Protein backbone atom coordinates (compact mmCIF):
# COMPACT_ATOMS: atom_id res chain seq x y z
CA UNK A 1 0.00 0.00 0.00
CA UNK A 2 1.20 3.50 -0.89
CA UNK A 3 -0.29 6.96 -0.42
CA UNK A 4 0.42 9.70 -2.95
CA UNK A 5 0.23 13.01 -1.07
CA UNK A 6 0.42 15.24 -4.15
CA UNK A 7 -2.65 17.43 -4.63
CA UNK A 8 -4.75 16.36 -7.64
CA UNK A 9 -7.30 18.66 -9.24
CA UNK A 10 -10.63 18.48 -11.08
CA UNK A 11 -12.10 21.26 -13.24
CA UNK A 12 -14.22 22.81 -10.43
CA UNK A 13 -11.11 23.18 -8.23
CA UNK A 14 -9.59 25.94 -10.37
CA UNK A 15 -10.28 29.12 -12.29
CA UNK A 16 -8.22 30.68 -15.08
CA UNK A 17 -6.62 33.98 -14.14
CA UNK A 18 -7.28 36.84 -16.63
CA UNK A 19 -4.29 38.58 -18.20
CA UNK A 20 -3.67 41.88 -19.93
CA UNK A 21 -4.50 41.67 -23.64
CA UNK A 22 -4.43 43.83 -26.75
CA UNK A 23 -7.33 41.90 -28.33
CA UNK A 24 -10.48 43.88 -29.11
CA UNK A 25 -13.03 41.26 -30.14
CA UNK A 26 -13.81 37.55 -29.69
CA UNK A 27 -14.30 37.36 -33.46
CA UNK A 28 -10.54 37.50 -33.97
CA UNK A 29 -9.90 34.25 -32.06
CA UNK A 30 -8.93 31.30 -34.26
CA UNK A 31 -10.21 28.03 -32.76
CA UNK A 32 -8.88 25.76 -35.50
CA UNK A 33 -5.76 23.67 -35.01
CA UNK A 34 -3.45 21.99 -37.50
CA UNK A 35 -1.73 18.79 -36.44
CA UNK A 36 0.63 16.44 -38.23
CA UNK A 37 0.26 13.17 -36.36
CA UNK A 38 3.29 11.31 -35.03
CA UNK A 39 2.77 7.91 -36.62
CA UNK A 40 0.39 8.48 -39.53
CA UNK A 41 2.34 11.59 -40.67
CA UNK A 42 -0.85 13.07 -42.13
CA UNK A 43 -1.83 16.70 -41.46
CA UNK A 44 -5.32 17.66 -40.31
CA UNK A 45 -6.99 21.02 -39.71
CA UNK A 46 -10.22 21.63 -37.81
CA UNK A 47 -11.78 22.47 -34.45
CA UNK A 48 -10.32 19.92 -31.98
CA UNK A 49 -13.54 19.02 -30.17
CA UNK A 50 -14.81 15.44 -30.48
CA UNK A 51 -18.33 14.12 -29.89
CA UNK A 52 -17.95 11.09 -27.63
CA UNK A 53 -18.16 7.52 -28.88
CA UNK A 54 -21.29 6.84 -26.80
CA UNK A 55 -24.80 5.81 -27.73
CA UNK A 56 -26.83 8.96 -28.30
CA UNK A 57 -23.74 11.08 -29.01
CA UNK A 58 -21.41 9.35 -31.47
CA UNK A 59 -23.99 8.86 -34.23
CA UNK A 60 -23.87 9.22 -38.01
CA UNK A 61 -26.34 12.12 -37.83
CA UNK A 62 -24.10 13.81 -35.23
CA UNK A 63 -21.09 13.33 -37.51
CA UNK A 64 -22.94 14.87 -40.46
CA UNK A 65 -23.97 17.91 -38.38
CA UNK A 66 -20.58 18.51 -36.78
CA UNK A 67 -18.60 18.02 -39.98
CA UNK A 68 -20.23 21.20 -41.29
CA UNK A 69 -18.56 23.04 -38.39
CA UNK A 70 -15.24 21.19 -38.83
CA UNK A 71 -15.80 19.47 -35.47
CA UNK A 72 -14.99 15.77 -35.02
CA UNK A 73 -17.19 12.84 -34.03
CA UNK A 74 -16.11 9.47 -32.64
CA UNK A 75 -18.82 7.05 -33.76
CA UNK A 76 -19.98 4.54 -31.18
CA UNK A 77 -18.84 1.01 -31.95
CA UNK A 78 -22.27 -0.49 -32.66
CA UNK A 79 -22.86 0.97 -36.13
CA UNK A 80 -23.32 -1.26 -39.15
CA UNK A 81 -20.27 -1.31 -41.40
CA UNK A 82 -22.23 0.06 -44.38
CA UNK A 83 -23.12 3.19 -42.36
CA UNK A 84 -19.51 4.34 -42.56
CA UNK A 85 -20.01 5.16 -46.24
CA UNK A 86 -22.26 8.09 -45.23
CA UNK A 87 -19.65 9.95 -43.16
CA UNK A 88 -16.91 12.44 -43.96
CA UNK A 89 -13.79 10.49 -43.02
CA UNK A 90 -11.80 13.69 -42.40
CA UNK A 91 -13.87 14.47 -39.31
CA UNK A 92 -14.98 11.07 -38.05
CA UNK A 93 -13.34 8.41 -35.89
CA UNK A 94 -14.53 4.83 -36.34
CA UNK A 95 -14.51 3.13 -32.92
CA UNK A 96 -13.58 -0.43 -31.98
CA UNK A 97 -13.20 -2.36 -28.76
CA UNK A 98 -10.51 -4.99 -28.18
CA UNK A 99 -12.52 -8.21 -28.29
CA UNK A 100 -11.83 -10.92 -30.86
CA UNK A 101 -14.89 -9.90 -32.85
CA UNK A 102 -13.64 -6.29 -32.89
CA UNK A 103 -10.29 -7.45 -34.22
CA UNK A 104 -11.92 -9.50 -36.96
CA UNK A 105 -14.28 -6.67 -37.93
CA UNK A 106 -11.55 -4.02 -37.98
CA UNK A 107 -9.31 -6.13 -40.20
CA UNK A 108 -12.18 -6.71 -42.62
CA UNK A 109 -13.10 -3.00 -42.78
CA UNK A 110 -9.48 -1.95 -43.33
CA UNK A 111 -9.24 -4.48 -46.13
CA UNK A 112 -12.13 -2.83 -47.97
CA UNK A 113 -11.85 0.81 -46.90
CA UNK A 114 -9.02 3.10 -45.77
CA UNK A 115 -9.93 4.62 -42.41
CA UNK A 116 -8.58 8.12 -41.75
CA UNK A 117 -9.33 8.03 -38.00
CA UNK A 118 -9.53 4.98 -35.72
CA UNK A 119 -10.54 5.07 -32.05
CA UNK A 120 -9.58 2.08 -29.89
CA UNK A 121 -11.77 2.32 -26.82
CA UNK A 122 -11.65 0.46 -23.50
CA UNK A 123 -12.64 1.52 -20.01
CA UNK A 124 -9.30 0.18 -18.75
CA UNK A 125 -6.36 1.07 -20.97
CA UNK A 126 -3.82 -0.37 -18.53
CA UNK A 127 -3.97 -4.02 -19.60
CA UNK A 128 -1.26 -5.66 -21.68
CA UNK A 129 -4.00 -6.87 -23.97
CA UNK A 130 -4.93 -3.28 -24.75
CA UNK A 131 -1.36 -2.23 -25.49
CA UNK A 132 -0.86 -5.29 -27.71
CA UNK A 133 -4.04 -4.46 -29.62
CA UNK A 134 -2.85 -0.90 -30.30
CA UNK A 135 0.41 -2.32 -31.68
CA UNK A 136 -1.52 -4.67 -33.96
CA UNK A 137 -3.75 -1.92 -35.31
CA UNK A 138 -0.73 0.26 -36.03
CA UNK A 139 0.73 -2.61 -38.10
CA UNK A 140 -2.56 -3.11 -39.98
CA UNK A 141 -3.21 0.60 -40.57
CA UNK A 142 0.12 2.45 -40.76
CA UNK A 143 -1.43 5.54 -42.41
CA UNK A 144 -4.43 5.89 -40.07
CA UNK A 145 -4.61 8.27 -37.11
CA UNK A 146 -5.11 6.12 -34.01
CA UNK A 147 -6.64 7.42 -30.78
CA UNK A 148 -6.45 4.97 -27.88
CA UNK A 149 -7.52 4.95 -24.25
CA UNK A 150 -8.55 5.46 -21.58
CA UNK A 151 -5.66 6.12 -19.20
CA UNK A 152 -4.87 8.83 -16.64
CA UNK A 153 -1.14 8.67 -15.89
CA UNK A 154 1.92 9.88 -17.73
CA UNK A 155 3.75 6.58 -17.92
CA UNK A 156 0.81 4.85 -19.58
CA UNK A 157 0.31 7.74 -21.97
CA UNK A 158 3.93 7.26 -23.02
CA UNK A 159 3.41 3.51 -23.42
CA UNK A 160 0.45 3.97 -25.75
CA UNK A 161 2.32 6.54 -27.84
CA UNK A 162 5.26 4.14 -28.15
CA UNK A 163 2.83 1.33 -29.05
CA UNK A 164 1.48 3.27 -32.02
CA UNK A 165 -1.20 5.68 -30.79
CA UNK A 166 -1.15 9.21 -32.21
CA UNK A 167 -3.63 10.46 -29.60
CA UNK A 168 -4.08 9.17 -26.05
CA UNK A 169 -7.60 9.40 -24.61
CA UNK A 170 -7.40 10.58 -21.00
CA UNK A 171 -10.03 10.03 -18.31
CA UNK A 172 -11.30 7.34 -15.93
CA UNK A 173 -14.50 7.80 -13.98
CA UNK A 174 -14.96 11.47 -14.81
CA UNK A 175 -17.96 11.19 -17.15
CA UNK A 176 -21.40 12.29 -15.93
CA UNK A 177 -22.98 8.85 -16.48
CA UNK A 178 -19.90 6.91 -15.39
CA UNK A 179 -19.93 5.39 -11.89
CA UNK A 180 -16.54 3.66 -12.09
CA UNK A 181 -15.21 5.66 -9.14
CA UNK A 182 -18.02 4.63 -6.79
CA UNK A 183 -18.16 1.01 -8.00
CA UNK A 184 -14.41 0.31 -8.14
CA UNK A 185 -12.75 3.07 -6.10
CA UNK A 186 -10.52 3.75 -9.12
CA UNK A 187 -10.08 7.10 -10.85
CA UNK A 188 -8.05 10.28 -11.17
CA UNK A 189 -9.08 13.95 -11.01
CA UNK A 190 -9.44 15.01 -14.63
CA UNK A 191 -7.51 18.29 -14.70
CA UNK A 192 -4.41 16.74 -13.16
CA UNK A 193 -4.73 13.70 -15.42
CA UNK A 194 -4.73 15.94 -18.50
CA UNK A 195 -1.76 18.00 -17.27
CA UNK A 196 0.34 14.93 -16.51
CA UNK A 197 -0.58 12.92 -19.60
CA UNK A 198 -0.14 15.92 -21.92
CA UNK A 199 3.33 16.56 -20.54
CA UNK A 200 4.29 12.91 -21.08
CA UNK A 201 2.75 12.55 -24.55
CA UNK A 202 4.08 15.86 -25.87
CA UNK A 203 7.57 14.83 -24.86
CA UNK A 204 7.32 11.98 -27.38
CA UNK A 205 5.56 13.98 -30.08
CA UNK A 206 2.14 12.50 -29.30
CA UNK A 207 -1.16 14.20 -28.49
CA UNK A 208 -3.87 13.80 -25.83
CA UNK A 209 -7.65 14.02 -25.79
CA UNK A 210 -9.38 14.95 -22.52
CA UNK A 211 -12.38 12.62 -22.20
CA UNK A 212 -14.93 13.33 -19.47
CA UNK A 213 -15.65 15.85 -16.75
CA UNK A 214 -16.73 18.78 -18.92
CA UNK A 215 -20.17 20.13 -18.07
CA UNK A 216 -19.69 23.77 -19.15
CA UNK A 217 -17.77 25.63 -21.85
CA UNK A 218 -15.51 26.86 -19.04
CA UNK A 219 -14.51 23.24 -18.35
CA UNK A 220 -13.67 22.80 -22.03
CA UNK A 221 -11.43 25.88 -21.82
CA UNK A 222 -9.75 24.52 -18.68
CA UNK A 223 -9.02 21.23 -20.46
CA UNK A 224 -7.36 23.04 -23.35
CA UNK A 225 -5.55 25.30 -20.89
CA UNK A 226 -4.21 22.20 -19.12
CA UNK A 227 -2.59 21.02 -22.34
CA UNK A 228 -5.25 18.89 -24.04
CA UNK A 229 -4.93 18.87 -27.83
CA UNK A 230 -8.50 17.57 -28.23
CA UNK A 231 -11.50 17.60 -25.88
CA UNK A 232 -14.15 14.88 -26.07
CA UNK A 233 -17.70 15.74 -24.98
CA UNK A 234 -20.48 13.37 -23.96
CA UNK A 235 -23.21 14.84 -21.77
CA UNK A 236 -22.78 18.33 -23.26
CA UNK A 237 -23.77 16.94 -26.67
CA UNK A 238 -26.40 14.44 -25.48
CA UNK A 239 -30.14 15.03 -25.75
CA UNK A 240 -30.09 16.53 -29.23
CA UNK A 241 -32.00 15.78 -32.40
CA UNK A 242 -28.94 13.98 -33.77
CA UNK A 243 -28.84 11.47 -30.87
CA UNK A 244 -30.62 8.77 -32.83
CA UNK A 245 -32.68 7.93 -29.72
CA UNK A 246 -36.42 8.32 -29.24
CA UNK A 247 -37.75 11.55 -27.78
CA UNK A 248 -39.84 10.90 -24.64
CA UNK A 249 -42.71 13.31 -23.95
CA UNK A 250 -43.88 13.92 -20.39
CA UNK A 251 -46.65 16.51 -20.15
CA UNK A 252 -45.14 19.68 -21.64
CA UNK A 253 -41.51 18.50 -21.54
CA UNK A 254 -39.41 16.40 -23.89
CA UNK A 255 -36.52 14.15 -22.90
CA UNK A 256 -33.92 11.91 -24.53
CA UNK A 257 -32.19 8.97 -22.83
CA UNK A 258 -28.47 9.12 -22.09
CA UNK A 259 -26.57 6.21 -20.60
CA UNK A 260 -23.04 5.05 -19.94
CA UNK A 261 -21.41 2.50 -22.22
CA UNK A 262 -20.90 0.16 -19.24
CA UNK A 263 -24.39 0.62 -17.82
CA UNK A 264 -26.85 -2.25 -17.42
CA UNK A 265 -29.02 -0.62 -20.08
CA UNK A 266 -26.21 -0.50 -22.67
CA UNK A 267 -25.18 -4.09 -21.96
CA UNK A 268 -28.81 -5.23 -22.28
CA UNK A 269 -29.13 -3.52 -25.68
CA UNK A 270 -25.82 -4.59 -27.19
CA UNK A 271 -24.87 -7.79 -25.36
CA UNK A 272 -28.18 -9.28 -24.28
CA UNK A 273 -27.49 -8.49 -20.63
CA UNK A 274 -24.69 -8.06 -18.11
CA UNK A 275 -22.23 -10.91 -17.70
CA UNK A 276 -22.28 -12.40 -14.18
CA UNK A 277 -18.56 -11.72 -13.64
CA UNK A 278 -18.81 -7.93 -13.95
CA UNK A 279 -20.56 -4.97 -12.35
CA UNK A 280 -22.32 -2.08 -14.04
CA UNK A 281 -20.09 0.99 -14.18
CA UNK A 282 -22.55 3.37 -15.81
CA UNK A 283 -25.99 4.81 -15.21
CA UNK A 284 -29.02 5.78 -17.28
CA UNK A 285 -30.57 9.25 -17.13
CA UNK A 286 -33.07 11.40 -19.01
CA UNK A 287 -31.71 14.55 -20.64
CA UNK A 288 -33.96 17.47 -21.61
CA UNK A 289 -34.45 17.50 -25.36
CA UNK A 290 -32.24 20.27 -26.74
CA UNK A 291 -33.00 20.49 -30.47
CA UNK A 292 -30.24 20.85 -33.04
CA UNK A 293 -26.68 20.28 -31.84
CA UNK A 294 -25.37 23.20 -33.90
CA UNK A 295 -26.79 25.69 -31.38
CA UNK A 296 -24.99 23.96 -28.50
CA UNK A 297 -21.68 23.79 -30.36
CA UNK A 298 -21.91 27.49 -31.16
CA UNK A 299 -22.39 28.26 -27.45
CA UNK A 300 -19.40 26.10 -26.50
CA UNK A 301 -17.18 27.71 -29.12
CA UNK A 302 -18.40 31.16 -28.09
CA UNK A 303 -17.40 30.48 -24.49
CA UNK A 304 -14.02 29.19 -25.63
CA UNK A 305 -13.41 32.35 -27.66
CA UNK A 306 -14.23 34.45 -24.60
CA UNK A 307 -11.69 32.51 -22.54
CA UNK A 308 -9.04 33.21 -25.14
CA UNK A 309 -9.79 36.96 -25.08
CA UNK A 310 -9.54 37.03 -21.27
CA UNK A 311 -5.97 35.69 -21.40
CA UNK A 312 -4.85 37.26 -24.68
CA UNK A 313 -4.70 34.08 -26.78
CA UNK A 314 -5.40 34.93 -30.42
CA UNK A 315 -5.32 31.25 -31.34
CA UNK A 316 -6.49 28.18 -29.45
CA UNK A 317 -2.96 26.85 -29.81
CA UNK A 318 -1.74 29.64 -27.49
CA UNK A 319 -4.25 29.00 -24.70
CA UNK A 320 -2.18 26.53 -22.68
CA UNK A 321 0.80 28.89 -22.76
CA UNK A 322 -1.37 31.77 -21.56
CA UNK A 323 -3.16 29.83 -18.81
CA UNK A 324 -2.49 30.28 -15.10
CA UNK A 325 -4.80 28.26 -12.85
CA UNK A 326 -5.96 29.62 -9.50
CA UNK A 327 -6.79 27.04 -6.83
CA UNK A 328 -10.25 27.98 -5.55
CA UNK A 329 -11.24 24.86 -3.60
CA UNK A 330 -10.78 25.94 0.03
CA UNK A 331 -10.38 22.42 1.34
CA UNK A 332 -7.63 21.72 -1.18
CA UNK A 333 -5.99 25.05 -0.36
CA UNK A 334 -5.86 24.08 3.32
CA UNK A 335 -4.50 20.62 2.50
CA UNK A 336 -1.86 22.10 0.19
CA UNK A 337 -0.71 24.57 2.83
CA UNK A 338 -0.48 21.82 5.44
CA UNK A 339 1.49 19.66 3.02
CA UNK A 340 3.93 22.48 2.23
CA UNK A 341 4.39 23.27 5.95
CA UNK A 342 5.24 19.65 6.68
CA UNK A 343 7.93 19.67 4.03
Amino acid sequence: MRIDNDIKLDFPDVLIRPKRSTMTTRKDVDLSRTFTFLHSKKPWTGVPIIASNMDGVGTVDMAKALTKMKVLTALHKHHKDKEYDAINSDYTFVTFGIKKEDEKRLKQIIKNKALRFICIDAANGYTQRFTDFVEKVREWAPRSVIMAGNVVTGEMAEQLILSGADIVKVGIGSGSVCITRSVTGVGYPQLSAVIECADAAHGLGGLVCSDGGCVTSGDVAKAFGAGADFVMLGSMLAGHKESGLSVIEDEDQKFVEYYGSSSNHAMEIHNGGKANYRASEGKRVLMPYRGNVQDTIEEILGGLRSTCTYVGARRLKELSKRTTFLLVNRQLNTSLNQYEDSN
Side-chain angles (χ1 to χ4, degrees):
M1 186 275 292
R2 179 175 177 272
I3 296 178
D4 185 347
N5 288 316
D6 291 346
I7 300 296
K8 304 298 180 185
L9 304 170
D10 262 321
F11 295 132
D13 297 323
V14 300
L15 289 172
I16 297 173
R17 188 178 74 185
K19 294 182 178 179
R20 186 176 179 276
S21 170
T22 58
M23 297 181 65
T24 58
T25 174
R26 298 173 180 85
K27 185 173 62 176
D28 293 339
V29 176
D30 181 6
L31 295 182
S32 67
R33 292 292 311 268
T34 297
F35 298 108
T36 297
F37 299 99
L38 176 65
H39 298 290
S40 71
K41 307 300 183 185
K42 289 185 176 181
W44 174 87
T45 298
V47 179
I49 288 175
I50 308 175
S52 174
N53 53 284
M54 299 177 71
D55 288 6
V57 180
T59 67
V60 170
D61 285 342
M62 184 71 73
K64 290 178 179 179
L66 297 188
T67 293
K68 296 175 184 177
M69 306 179 77
K70 296 187 177 181
V71 172
L72 292 147
T73 300
L75 296 177
H76 65 70
K77 56 190 175 185
H78 306 294
H79 283 94
K80 305 288 186 185
D81 294 355
K82 62 182 180 181
E83 293 181 271
Y84 300 143
D85 294 333
I87 60 172
N88 184 323
S89 60
D90 288 335
Y91 294 96
T92 312
F93 283 87
V94 178
T95 304
F96 301 89
I98 60 171
K99 296 178 180 178
K100 286 292 184 182
E101 52 264 38
D102 292 301
E103 180 175 333
K104 180 180 179 181
R105 180 167 166 252
L106 175 55
K107 290 175 75 174
Q108 184 61 40
I109 292 174
I110 291 175
K111 182 179 179 181
N112 299 323
K113 179 183 178 69
L115 295 179
R116 175 80 189 272
F117 291 107
I118 296 173
C119 175
I120 306 172
D121 180 70
N124 180 4
Y126 283 81
T127 65
Q128 186 63 47
R129 179 184 177 188
F130 186 78
T131 302
D132 292 344
F133 191 82
V134 173
E135 290 180 347
K136 288 180 183 178
V137 177
R138 175 50 65 198
E139 292 177 5
W140 302 335
R143 302 293 303 278
S144 296
V145 175
I146 297 175
M147 177 168 63
N150 285 30
V151 299
V152 290
T153 52
E155 68 271 14
M156 203 63 207
E158 291 175 338
Q159 180 61 61
L160 291 179
I161 295 293
L162 293 172
S163 298
D166 296 288
I167 308 166
V168 175
K169 197 145 69 79
V170 177
I172 291 179
S174 54
S176 66
V177 289
C178 180
I179 56 174
T180 293
R181 293 179 182 181
S182 60
V183 171
T184 69
V186 175
Y188 210 95
Q190 187 67 6
L191 183 75
S192 289
V194 171
I195 291 171
E196 294 170 28
C197 290
D199 181 62
H202 293 166
L204 295 174
L207 305 173
V208 298
C209 173
S210 175
D211 176 20
C214 289
V215 295
T216 66
S217 58
D219 294 334
V220 177
K222 291 173 186 178
F224 281 122
D229 304 287
F230 297 86
V231 176
M232 179 171 278
L233 303 178
S235 64
M236 291 183 72
L237 300 183
H240 290 91
K241 173 185 175 183
E242 295 81 4
S243 71
L245 300 176
S246 299
V247 176
I248 301 168
E249 296 195 34
D250 182 12
E251 295 182 354
D252 295 331
Q253 294 181 297
K254 294 182 179 181
F255 300 91
V256 177
E257 281 188 327
Y258 179 51
Y259 47 87
S261 299
S262 294
S263 65
N264 282 329
H265 187 62
M267 288 186 278
E268 184 67 38
I269 292 173
H270 301 299
N271 303 315
K274 179 176 68 69
N276 59 10
Y277 60 82
R278 65 177 298 170
S280 169
E281 294 182 31
K283 60 184 179 180
R284 177 187 183 188
V285 300
L286 290 178
M287 301 281 293
Y289 178 66
R290 300 159 71 188
N292 294 324
V293 73
Q294 179 177 341
D295 297 333
T296 297
I297 287 291
E298 288 176 352
E299 283 295 308
I300 294 170
L301 299 185
L304 193 51
R305 289 190 186 92
S306 291
T307 304
C308 289
T309 60
Y310 272 113
V311 300
R314 293 185 178 275
R315 299 183 297 164
L316 182 59
K317 181 180 180 180
E318 301 169 5
L319 182 56
S320 62
K321 297 176 182 178
R322 301 282 297 173
T323 294
T324 299
F325 287 120
L326 301 176
L327 189 63
V328 295
N329 184 313
R330 291 183 179 181
Q331 184 176 354
L332 284 173
N333 258 317
T334 301
S335 300
L336 182 59
N337 290 332
Q338 290 174 347
Y339 174 73
E340 290 176 343
D341 290 343
S342 66
N343 285 273

